Amino acid sequence: MSITYEDFKKLDLRVAKIIKTEKISGKSRIIKGQIDLGKETQDVVIGGAEFYEPDDLMGKTVIVVANLETKNIAGIESNAMLLAADLVNKPFWLTVDEEVPPGTKIK
C-alpha cells in the first residue's frame, strides 16, 4: 500500500528525548514514559518492556510521531509514538547519531 506525499506531510516526525520512565503495575509489555519535545513534554506508552527496563530507555534521543491521535492505553494517555525497527518482535528504537535538540522536525 502506498500513500501520497500529501499524506506523508501530515506526519509530524520529531526528535524527542526520553526524560522519565516507569513500570506500569500489572503490565509486562509496556512502560510509561515522558518525552521532551523542546517546547513541551508528552506522556507516551512505550512497548518492549519484556526486553528493556525503564532505566534502559532514560536519556535516549529518539524519533517520534508527535501528532498521533491521543490514545488511552492501560489508563495512560499516550500522545505520541516512538518509531522502532522490529527484529524478531523486539523493538530497536530509531535514534539520531549526533546531538540534535528535542523538538527538531524530521523532514
Side-chain angles (χ1 to χ4, degrees), residues 2 29 53:
S2 60
R29 297 180 54 145
E53 291 295 319

Side-chain angles (χ1 to χ4, degrees), residues 20-80:
K20 185 176 180 183
T21 57
E22 62 186 78
K23 289 187 176 192
I24 301 171
S25 179
K27 301 294 180 186
S28 61
R29 297 180 54 145
I30 55 176
I31 294 169
K32 180 180 180 181
Q34 188 174 64
I35 55 172
D36 175 6
L37 285 167
K39 294 181 180 177
E40 66 178 310
T41 61
Q42 290 187 353
D43 293 331
V44 294
V45 173
I46 305 169
E50 63 270 39
F51 303 106
Y52 301 101
E53 291 295 319
D55 287 345
D56 296 336
L57 303 173
M58 279 295 300
K60 282 197 178 290
T61 303
V62 295
I63 308 298
V64 301
V65 178
N67 64 335
L68 196 62
E69 182 176 67
T70 300
K71 186 168 185 171
N72 192 306
I73 302 170
I76 299 160
E77 257 189 28
S78 189
N79 297 298

Side-chain angles (χ1 to χ4, degrees), residues 3-11:
I3 64 170
T4 67
Y5 182 70
E6 293 303 314
D7 289 335
F8 176 76
K9 287 185 355 182
K10 293 177 186 176
L11 295 174

